[in-house]
Every structure is written in structure tokens, then in C-alpha cells.
Amino acid sequence: MTDRHSRPHTGRIALVTGSTGGIGFAVAERLAALGADIALHGFGDADQIGRQVAAVADRFGVRVHHFDADFTDAGCFPGLVERINGRLGPVDILVNNAGMQHVCSIVDFPPDKWDAMLAINLSAAFHTIRLCVPAMLARGWGRIVNIASVSGLVGTANKPAYVATKHGLVGLTKSVAMEFATTPVTCNAICPGWVLTPMVQKQVDALGAREGLDGAAAAARLVGAKQPSQTFVTVRQVASLVGYLCSDDAAEVRGAHWNMDGGYVAA
């Protein structure tokens, strides 16, 4: 007999975008531990992704399938959702995590990078939400969690596209939450500070090369400049918050932009 307390999402389907590594994979593991069948999305080495799929399925006893889709192509989304419906079923939990970063002065910022970041960081969430919500409403339950950033709450120099798209994602979250406020479908955003993901590691490496610092010193410099705790947020901590926002206890958490940032915004 399934323990509905420890595995409350048994029988539910979770789509986590950008989930072949970093925050997204940690979120996928957390939701699988709670009983959800998982639609992994993202790019990477095919053999490595195959091992990830098998490991999550074996460890948590859930169905796991990988789906690739290029989010810079707005036409990919109907096909993606149709494939998920065919392999797993309608999406009950949607976690919009896919994102990219480019650090550069706006004067020199490549327009193609702007367009790609707008598509992946913001427009993708619009498309997945609009296509997944009807089934959530029909089934009488749904959770949408958008992984934004502390950069969705404050500005940062040399990150014009990232800041703009993450602010937009917070705004989208509020609008969707208000639209479905009288339904069992909730929408919230998580705004992490510095999380030591591969994307952030690139910034650590760039800082180290620029300032002549070793890896540990560069990481300390980066996180210490903004995060009063002097400590990176972990992917597991973000995943645990996603788990809470997808729970029945969070049924009246609606339109929140929950910062998890070691005191970044409080400073």
C-alpha cells in the first residue's frame, strides 16, 4: 500500500524544464521521492542522461522519461506537451527551471543572446503554463513553480537580459496566480541567490581568471559580495522548497516570490 503521507504525489506527473543537471535535476529527484512520475527536459550527453533516467526510476520506483526541446523555437512547445501526454499523461506539476546566463555590458550585449534569453528564461514559461493549465483545471489540482532568481527582485549591472527576464518571470507568476486564485491550481516563484550550479561555476571561474584567484577564493569573493550569510544556497534546499510549494500545506501560497538568498535582499 502506498503511503500517501510520505509519497503524496503518487500518480501525478511532473515536468521539470532544464532538469538534466543543477537545480532542475535536484528538483526532479525531490518530486520523484514524493511519488511523482518525472518528465526530464534538457540537453546533454545522451548516455549520461540515460543513466540519470535509469537512476531516478530505480531509486524512487517511478516512471521517468527524457524529452528534448529547443526552447528558442516557440513552435516546440505543443509537440513537447503532446509527447509528455503520450508517454506519461497530463502534467500536474510544472516547474519552469530552464534558463541561461550571459554577463556583459548592455552596450556590448549581443542581440542574439538577448533574444535567446528572453525565449528560454521567460517565454518558455508562458508556453508551458498556457499548454499545461487546462489539464490541471480539468483534473482539479495543479502546481506551477517558476524558478526565478534574486535578480528578479533587484537589479545587477552587466546582466540586462537575466535581470529583465527574471523580473518578467516574477510578474508572470503573479498574473497567473491571480487568474487562477479561485481554483485548485497555484503558481509561485522561487528567487534563489547564489547557488553553486554549473552556470554559476562559470562566473566563479571567470572571476578567478580575471582577479588571479584560486577556485575557493573566487567562490568566496563572489558569494560574499552579495550574500550576507557568506554561503551558497544548495540545489537540495531549492528542491525542498519546491516540494513544499507543491504540497497541500501550500494550497494558499499563491503568487509568492520566495527569496532563498542568504540575506541578499535583506541587506
Side-chain angles (χ1 to χ4, degrees), residues 148-212:
S149 167
V150 71
S151 293
L153 306 176
V154 298
T156 304
N158 299 314
K159 296 183 180 181
Y162 195 73
V163 170
T165 55
K166 293 301 186 178
H167 270 72
L169 191 55
V170 170
L172 176 64
T173 299
K174 294 178 180 180
S175 180
V176 172
M178 292 294 289
E179 182 171 347
F180 300 112
T182 61
T183 78
V185 176
T186 70
C187 184
N188 295 287
I190 298 175
C191 299
W194 289 111
V195 184
L196 195 54
T197 62
M199 185 167 68
V200 170
Q201 185 63 53
K202 291 180 181 179
Q203 295 181 64
V204 171
D205 294 342
L207 177 62
R210 190 169 61 249
E211 302 290 336

Side-chain angles (χ1 to χ4, degrees), residues 15-21 38-43 49 65-71 76-77 80 83-84 98:
L15 166 59
V16 185
T17 68
S19 53
T20 53
I38 303 296
L40 283 179
H41 159 265
F43 297 102
I49 292 172
H65 291 286
H66 171 253
F67 302 87
D68 57 4
D70 180 359
F71 283 1
C76 78
F77 295 96
L80 172 63
R83 283 185 287 143
I84 294 170

